[in-house]
Amino acid sequence: MSAIMLKEEDPGDAASLSLFSDFLHSFLRHSSSAVFDLLEEYETICGEQVRTLQKIILRAAPGQQKFSKTASVLWLLQQEMVTWRLLTSLYRDRIQSALEDELMIDVAAQSASEKVIMEHLFQRDAVVRQSQLVVDWLESIAKDEIGDFSDNIEFYAKSVYWENTLHTLKQRRTTSHGGFNRPLVTELDPDAPIRQKRPLADLDREDDVRLLKYLFTLVRAGMTDEAQRLCKRCGQAWRAATLEGWKLYHDPNINGGAELEPVEGNPQRCVWKVCCWRMAEEEQFNRYERAIYAALSGNLKQLLPVCETWEDTVWAYFRVMVDTLVEQEIRSSGTTSEELEELPREYLEANWTLEKVFEELQATESKRVLEETKEHYHIIQKFIILGDLDGLLEEFSEWLSGGKPALPSHLLRFMSHLILFYRSLGMQLKEEVAVDVLKAYIQLLISEKHTDLIAFYVSHLPQDVAVAQYAQFLECVTETEQRKHCLELAREAAVTKTVVENIRERDAEDFAHHDLTPALDTGTSEEDLRKIDVIDWLVFDPSQRAEALKQSNAIMRKFLGSKKHDAAKEVFAKIPLDSMREIYRQWEELGLGTPLPAEDENAIREHLCIRAYLEAHEAFNEWFRHMNSPPQKPTLPSQAKFTETVAHEMKEKEYEMEYNNWKGRLEALTDEVKEKIYNVLLFVDGGWMVDVREDAEEDPERSHQMALLRRLCLPMMCFLLNTVLHSTGQYQESLRLADIVASEQHRLYQVFSREELRKFLQKLRESSLLLLDQGRDPLGYEIQP
């Protein structure tokens, strides 16, 4: 544990961050058959973290606010640790008992001993057996809390019983002064204080109170042997003997045998139990002494007053429940003695069930216990004990519902792994709640930037939900290397498709109509840049090239419709040059011997259409820039000197060279832009932005957008070409555009609006007038004499 960690704003959270990855790695290390090994490892991981946090708190300065958060994390992890322990214990038994054939369990014989009757009851009755497991679990929690205190408390342990009282009594015998003497017991047998109604010496009374409290703590932790050892070391061997009487009687020699074996248990257990019950009822005894014997005799009423926590109270109920059920079984077998009948009827005939225990718990008078019943982990533990999965998931659903406070991150992690545990056992769960729990945990991992963990939990969601959930996460990933890494974790093509669709559909604006200022582009926004970048998701994996084409086409259609040509070019540049070849290669590798799917072939054609359009647009822009930047002809100032005249002549020569170069370059650019625009206007096999394969799956939105683009872009291309031809004096070729527009082969006239046709004819009229000025006919032919 580093000093840096102690300086953290919240060292508890910082120190326990590793739990998220530790739990996932543990899950991956264990096969589904080793599910209980996995639970034990979960408990171990939590235990190690608990010890780390305890060290942090011990090293903290008192009253530091940040360490109160660490303490709350510590409590959560302690509760999680013991909950995994409970799950391991109960479900190991439940699965084992489900596998065993109950018909093979023998019924105890009429003459069987108490111990044998109890053993048969535990074999036969799952409720009794699992209730005892709950008792053992609660005692193990108390034992964890005790630690090594049993060694530390014996600082006052002594071999002489009540030595201060003994010393005082001896002094009084040897001294005969007549001063005032405080009344003390005159005898030192265990019953003397009660019988004589006289006190012990103050120090002995304090020692007794402390000892009895520690003894109850040991009994509460299931450490009865340790309690007996402590009694002996404190000179109270008689008390150690009273703690021995609960053991059930069994004589292994009753059925004969080659060797004589020792007899077990207490043959007078019934007498002992009645005495314990009466001691627990006796108000003169210390409350912890009464509680000890109440626990041993099943006297719930006298046991509850010393139970301060939820765990203590549940332990009291379950211990008494097991005690009662065992006693009822022994009574029904006919081996019990008449002395037992002296116990209250409500004890002997109590009808205990697991549900009744928790109903009683809700009616407790202890405010602290009542508050603790509402804590998340205690609710979870209750439903685990009851085996009520539906009730547990209803609670989960309630916690996750809107308006509730956010759940602690470690609790969400526990809930998710609990869902995975139940799934691994093949247990029926409310699927929608299980999905909600996992989704909530995934959202937490996303917000906490646990990038490497997300894909695993997403894989446990239904396919459609998993894709949407992972896609939502990927939208936030912007670094190229991290994107590759996340995709390797996902290995799911549908995920990237959904990411792209989510982002490209975010902006629902319709296509803008192109005006007749074609060179004017619309700027690229931040949202546009996100749409451009999102294509990267689809080009990492060559097997997704067809999808990359389809999605990039969809984005570019939007950009072209909004006159965002630069943005469209950036999207186009994202697609690798070998994409079309790669799509064909992958299809051929399948060896189906059939043409490429219609959707893929149409996407390739659309990609080529967009490329032709972008090339034409770029060629026009370059021509336009060159056309409007001719070299400037030098001018000779009036009354020029000789030197100025010579210099002017040199400049004129330079100008002529520059002009010839400019003109040559303009002619080349003109030829290029004409070719590029004709490529769009006369696009092969049906025209620009027209699908060749009609057997593709219907996509009304795509068809609508492609038809719109034809109406928006093709008239604009005609106007651009007319501008080029008219500006370069190619009036006759300009007039031939009318033939192309009117052609039934290409049917370009169908994409012109009435206003656009009127303006187009006006442009042709201007070209005809210029031809007439040149002495030609209106179509540009020479006039015959």
Side-chain angles (χ1 to χ4, degrees):
M1 182 177 59
S2 66
I4 296 172
M5 190 178 289
L6 288 170
K7 293 177 182 177
E8 289 276 351
E9 183 64 30
D10 189 355
D13 270 351
S16 54
L17 276 177
S18 63
L19 282 176
F20 295 98
S21 57
D22 289 347
F23 263 62
L24 174 55
H25 295 150
S26 294
F27 187 94
L28 296 173
R29 273 200 304 272
H30 291 81
S31 65
S32 56
S33 59
V35 64
F36 294 111
D37 293 342
L38 174 61
L39 296 193
E40 286 170 356
E41 187 163 331
Y42 286 164
E43 183 188 343
T44 303
I45 292 169
C46 290
E48 290 170 355
Q49 200 63 48
V50 163
R51 287 188 288 276
T52 301
L53 295 184
Q54 285 171 337
K55 289 177 186 174
I56 289 176
I57 290 173
L58 284 174
R59 290 175 62 176
Q64 277 188 268
Q65 182 61 35
K66 66 180 180 181
F67 287 98
S68 66
K69 294 181 181 178
T70 302
S72 67
V73 173
L74 171 61
W75 186 88
L76 278 172
L77 295 182
Q78 284 174 324
Q79 287 297 322
E80 180 181 351
M81 176 181 73
V82 298
T83 308
W84 289 124
R85 189 184 303 169
L86 174 65
L87 278 162
T88 307
S89 176
L90 284 180
Y91 277 92
R92 186 173 268 151
D93 179 82
R94 287 170 183 171
I95 289 171
Q96 188 64 32
S97 60
L99 294 174
E100 290 176 354
D101 186 0
E102 293 187 8
L103 297 175
M104 294 176 64
I105 298 173
D106 298 327
V107 177
Q110 280 294 107
S111 59
S113 68
E114 291 181 341
K115 182 181 177 184
V116 171
I117 292 168
M118 180 270 292
E119 287 173 347
H120 279 277
L121 173 65
F122 270 72
Q123 285 178 1
R124 186 183 75 250
D125 195 326
V127 172
V128 177
R129 191 171 61 250
Q130 288 168 24
S131 297
Q132 182 59 47
L133 289 174
V134 173
V135 173
D136 295 341
W137 167 68
L138 290 162
E139 288 178 348
S140 73
I141 296 172
K143 192 172 182 178
D144 289 346
E145 292 172 358
I146 286 175
D148 299 326
F149 104 101
S150 55
D151 293 328
N152 299 331
I153 66 162
E154 295 185 25
F155 63 89
Y156 65 88
K158 36 203 162 309
S159 57
V160 179
Y161 180 48
W162 293 339
E163 65 174 6
N164 295 293
T165 306
L166 176 63
H167 177 70
T168 304
L169 291 176
K170 282 182 177 179
Q171 277 189 326
R172 288 183 183 181
R173 280 186 182 179
T174 56
T175 59
S176 55
H177 60 82
F180 172 76
N181 281 324
R182 183 180 169 192
L184 290 179
V185 292
T186 57
E187 298 170 356
L188 290 180
D189 63 277
D191 296 325
I194 301 296
R195 185 178 65 252
Q196 295 185 337
K197 297 183 179 176
R198 289 187 170 199
L200 299 169
D202 288 346
L203 289 174
D204 287 339
R205 194 164 66 249
E206 288 173 15
D207 281 353
D208 259 15
V209 169
R210 190 162 66 234
L211 174 64
L212 289 166
K213 185 173 182 180
Y214 288 141
L215 287 176
F216 174 75
T217 305
L218 290 169
V219 170
R220 163 70 183 85
M223 301 168 70
T224 310
D225 292 344
E226 184 71 19
Q228 289 177 287
R229 188 179 72 83
L230 184 57
C231 288
K232 291 172 186 174
R233 290 199 46 184
C234 293
Q236 298 191 13
W238 61 270
R239 195 186 296 278
T242 66
L243 302 179
E244 183 77 12
W246 61 272
K247 295 181 179 177
L248 297 172
Y249 179 70
H250 176 61
D251 184 357
N253 307 300
I254 200 162
N255 295 322
E259 294 182 11
L260 197 63
E261 296 182 43
V263 176
E264 302 174 32
N266 179 8
Q268 303 300 326
R269 191 185 62 83
C270 294
V271 177
W272 169 87
K273 187 160 193 171
V274 171
C275 290
C276 287
W277 187 283
R278 288 175 182 168
M279 282 185 71
E281 295 283 337
E282 182 57 63
E283 293 183 3
Q284 294 181 62
F285 288 111
N286 174 278
R287 65 198 294 254
Y288 286 104
E289 187 168 15
R290 292 167 67 190
I292 290 167
Y293 295 108
L296 295 172
S297 62
N299 191 336
L300 182 64
K301 184 179 177 183
Q302 303 305 327
L303 183 53
L304 286 176
V306 297
C307 295
E308 298 175 353
T309 65
W310 182 89
E311 286 84 358
D312 292 343
T313 310
V314 175
W315 169 80
Y317 274 104
F318 272 91
R319 185 179 173 102
V320 170
M321 175 179 171
V322 173
D323 188 279
T324 306
L325 293 173
V326 170
E327 211 63 73
Q328 289 172 352
E329 181 71 12
I330 293 171
R331 284 181 75 221
S332 66
S333 70
T335 59
T336 187
S337 64
E338 293 180 3
E339 286 86 350
L340 201 61
E341 299 301 328
E342 295 183 34
L343 293 174
R345 183 173 294 276
E346 62 266 22
Y347 166 76
L348 294 172
E349 297 179 4
N351 184 24
W352 283 108
T353 62
L354 297 175
E355 290 76 15
K356 185 180 177 184
V357 168
F358 289 104
E359 286 171 13
E360 294 269 342
L361 206 61
Q362 291 293 340
T364 180
E365 293 179 1
S366 167
K367 288 184 179 178
R368 176 177 173 181
V369 174
L370 207 55
E371 282 300 310
E372 289 183 358
T373 59
K374 300 172 187 174
E375 287 169 352
H376 291 116
Y377 273 106
H378 289 155
I379 293 170
I380 292 170
Q381 289 157 3
K382 176 183 85 170
F383 284 112
I384 290 170
I385 292 168
L386 293 174
D388 183 4
L389 281 188
D390 287 346
L392 178 62
L393 289 177
E394 281 174 17
E395 283 292 336
F396 284 1
S397 180
E398 180 71 19
W399 296 344
L400 293 170
S401 61
K404 296 283 182 179
L407 294 175
S409 57
H410 290 295
L411 176 59
L412 263 178
R413 174 181 47 74
F414 169 81
M415 289 163 62
S416 300
H417 280 268
L418 182 60
I419 294 289
L420 297 180
F421 162 70
Y422 281 131
R423 281 183 174 179
S424 67
L425 294 183
M427 305 189 78
Q428 290 296 317
L429 301 174
K430 290 184 176 178
E431 191 59 25
E432 64 277 9
V433 181
V435 168
D436 286 344
V437 170
L438 290 171
K439 282 170 67 177
Y441 186 49
I442 290 163
Q443 285 301 319
L444 171 75
L445 294 176
I446 292 172
S447 63
E448 296 289 335
K449 306 250 183 318
H450 294 289
T451 307
D452 290 356
L453 312 183
I454 294 164
F456 169 79
Y457 296 99
V458 166
S459 71
H460 285 80
L461 294 172
Q463 180 70 14
D464 54 338
V465 181
V467 169
Q469 198 73 13
Y470 203 65
Q472 184 182 348
F473 156 61
L474 293 182
E475 286 179 34
C476 307
V477 181
T478 54
E479 295 176 11
T480 304
E481 285 305 312
Q482 197 176 10
R483 284 180 167 183
K484 285 183 182 178
H485 179 60
C486 292
L487 280 183
E488 286 168 7
L489 292 172
R491 297 190 180 279
E492 177 54 67
V495 172
T496 49
K497 178 183 176 185
T498 308
V499 174
V500 178
E501 288 178 344
N502 286 349
I503 291 180
R504 74 173 174 80
E505 290 173 2
R506 197 168 287 165
D507 181 16
E509 68 180 23
D510 204 350
F511 285 14
H513 193 282
H514 284 239
D515 56 26
L516 299 180
T517 54
L520 190 63
D521 276 354
T522 307
T524 305
S525 67
E526 285 293 323
E527 186 61 34
D528 294 336
L529 292 175
R530 283 176 58 79
K531 292 178 184 178
I532 294 165
D533 288 342
V534 81
I535 290 298
D536 288 337
W537 286 114
L538 291 167
V539 298
F540 291 134
D541 184 356
S543 67
Q544 290 186 259
R545 289 296 167 79
E547 190 60 42
L549 276 190
K550 293 170 191 172
Q551 296 294 344
S552 63
N553 288 346
I555 293 173
M556 287 189 286
R557 285 197 301 272
K558 279 278 190 179
F559 284 156
L560 293 181
S562 305
K563 296 183 72 174
K564 297 181 178 181
H565 297 99
D566 288 341
K569 288 172 193 172
E570 287 188 54
V571 175
F572 191 88
K574 295 274 185 185
I575 304 299
L577 295 174
D578 66 342
S579 293
M580 288 176 281
R581 186 170 65 251
E582 184 68 29
I583 292 168
Y584 279 107
R585 186 188 64 76
Q586 289 172 17
W587 182 254
E588 287 167 4
E589 280 183 357
L590 296 176
L592 300 177
T594 56
L596 199 65
E599 292 81 7
D600 293 357
E601 195 167 328
N602 285 340
I604 289 173
R605 177 179 169 84
E606 182 184 353
H607 183 75
L608 293 173
C609 287
I610 293 172
R611 183 174 77 179
Y613 177 80
L614 292 176
E615 286 176 352
H617 193 272
E618 181 61 32
F620 175 80
N621 283 343
E622 193 172 349
W623 173 87
F624 189 80
R625 283 192 297 271
H626 189 75
M627 177 72 182
N628 289 287
S629 56
Q632 295 297 315
K633 186 173 182 180
T635 55
L636 182 67
S638 58
Q639 298 178 348
K641 296 178 182 177
F642 175 75
T643 53
E644 290 175 339
T645 304
V646 172
H648 173 71
E649 289 173 356
M650 291 181 65
K651 285 179 182 178
E652 275 197 328
K653 288 179 181 178
E654 287 176 7
Y655 162 73
E656 285 174 7
M657 287 179 62
E658 287 179 10
Y659 181 79
N660 289 333
N661 290 338
W662 174 84
K663 190 175 180 181
R665 172 71 176 150
L666 179 64
E667 289 171 359
L669 288 175
T670 302
D671 290 342
E672 184 182 357
V673 74
K674 282 165 55 180
E675 181 187 353
K676 299 291 187 187
I677 293 178
Y678 279 129
N679 285 345
V680 174
L681 297 178
L682 310 177
F683 204 88
V684 294
D685 295 334
W688 186 77
M689 281 295 186
V690 176
D691 287 336
V692 176
R693 295 276 295 274
E694 296 181 357
D695 54 334
E697 186 177 339
E698 191 174 347
D699 186 346
E701 184 184 10
R702 176 174 175 273
S703 301
H704 174 68
Q705 290 180 351
M706 289 174 70
L708 271 178
L709 281 180
R710 281 179 60 79
R711 290 203 296 272
L712 294 172
C713 299
L714 291 179
M716 186 186 76
M717 282 286 117
C718 289
F719 284 113
L720 291 180
L721 183 54
N722 182 74
T723 301
V724 171
L725 296 173
H726 193 86
S727 301
T728 54
Q730 301 179 58
Y731 307 122
Q732 190 172 13
E733 189 172 347
S734 171
L735 290 172
R736 289 196 199 118
L737 278 176
D739 293 336
I740 294 173
V741 170
S743 163
E744 284 298 323
Q745 180 184 353
H746 304 293
R747 299 187 179 184
L748 294 179
Y749 61 86
Q750 293 180 346
V751 300
F752 279 77
S753 66
R754 185 181 296 274
E755 178 63 19
E756 285 169 339
L757 276 175
R758 189 188 66 76
K759 288 186 178 180
F760 184 63
L761 291 172
Q762 177 66 29
K763 296 284 185 186
L764 297 182
R765 178 177 173 276
E766 291 172 7
S767 295
S768 289
L769 290 173
L770 289 169
L771 286 169
L772 289 171
D773 290 345
Q774 293 177 359
R776 295 172 177 262
D777 71 3
L779 297 178
Y781 295 103
E782 291 184 4
I783 299 174
Q784 297 295 327

